[in-house]
Amino acid sequence: MRCLSSVEFAVIVNWKGGSYFTPTKGLRQWDHLSPHLFIIVSDVLSSMINQAITHSFILGMKFGRGGPALSHLFFVDDSLMFLKATENNCRVIVRILDSYCTASGQLVNFKKSNMFFNPNTLLEVNDRLRAILNVTISEDPGKEVLIKSVAQAVSSYPMSVFLLPNGFCPEIDNILANFWWA
């Protein structure tokens, strides 16, 4: 409670800060309201990316001719971005993330972030884009994406609704670790 009562918040509406207030209660990551609040806040980031797509500031990845472009997916507190490998796309995404972080107070952990390229992308392009985004390049993110997007996300909703046995979470963690290291 000391961590919560030692900070002050202000709500920003239409780019104007309101009066500061001190919280009396807080939400923890596994609180039943946390996923809903995350969805509300992350919807802002999604809207910012969608607007950039709509105005052709960035280009998502197309899956086939005439198919829709995919630009991003959110899973719990992880994000996947699918962009055409251009310097402009990377610079615009950095600006969007900076604006979002400034407005929401959230931070991107660039040490845990990485990027993956189509094998046909030139190595010089990979290096330039990595420098813009300041993240590492992953050779094969397949398992990591599967674990983050499917295995962890699938259990989140039932765990927020049902009381599961005490050993359930360590068992799931063990299964995921075995899959990761197999």
Side-chain angles (χ1 to χ4, degrees), residues 52-53 55-60 83-96 125 128-129 132-133:
I53 293 280
H55 296 304
S56 301
F57 296 139
I58 59 175
L59 301 171
L83 302 172
K84 189 171 181 179
T86 67
E87 290 183 33
N88 183 64
N89 277 349
C90 289
R91 286 192 180 98
V92 171
I93 268 303
V94 166
R95 284 196 302 269
I96 289 171
V125 173
R128 282 198 314 270
L129 301 183
I132 293 169
L133 291 170

Side-chain angles (χ1 to χ4, degrees), residues 59-147:
L59 301 171
M61 286 179 41
K62 283 204 171 230
F63 296 93
R65 293 178 198 197
L70 178 63
S71 59
H72 62 285
L73 295 172
F74 295 147
F75 301 100
V76 189
D77 61 352
D78 290 318
S79 304
L80 297 172
M81 309 234 178
F82 304 90
L83 302 172
K84 189 171 181 179
T86 67
E87 290 183 33
N88 183 64
N89 277 349
C90 289
R91 286 192 180 98
V92 171
I93 268 303
V94 166
R95 284 196 302 269
I96 289 171
L97 290 173
D98 286 345
S99 296
Y100 173 75
C101 290
T102 299
S104 70
Q106 294 183 331
L107 299 173
V108 176
N109 187 340
F110 288 103
K111 291 181 181 174
K112 288 186 176 180
S113 301
N114 62 60
M115 56 196 317
F116 178 75
F117 291 95
N118 178 312
N120 297 328
T121 308
L122 298 174
L123 292 176
E124 305 86 59
V125 173
N126 295 1
D127 289 337
R128 282 198 314 270
L129 301 183
R130 188 211 56 77
I132 293 169
L133 291 170
N134 196 26
V135 298
T136 59
I137 295 175
S138 174
E139 296 300 321
D140 182 17
K143 282 187 179 181
E144 182 180 7
V145 171
L146 279 174
I147 288 172

Side-chain angles (χ1 to χ4, degrees), residues 3-19:
C3 291
L4 291 172
S5 61
S6 64
V7 297
E8 290 186 327
F9 296 102
V11 177
I12 299 173
V13 178
N14 294 329
W15 302 107
K16 293 183 180 181
S19 300

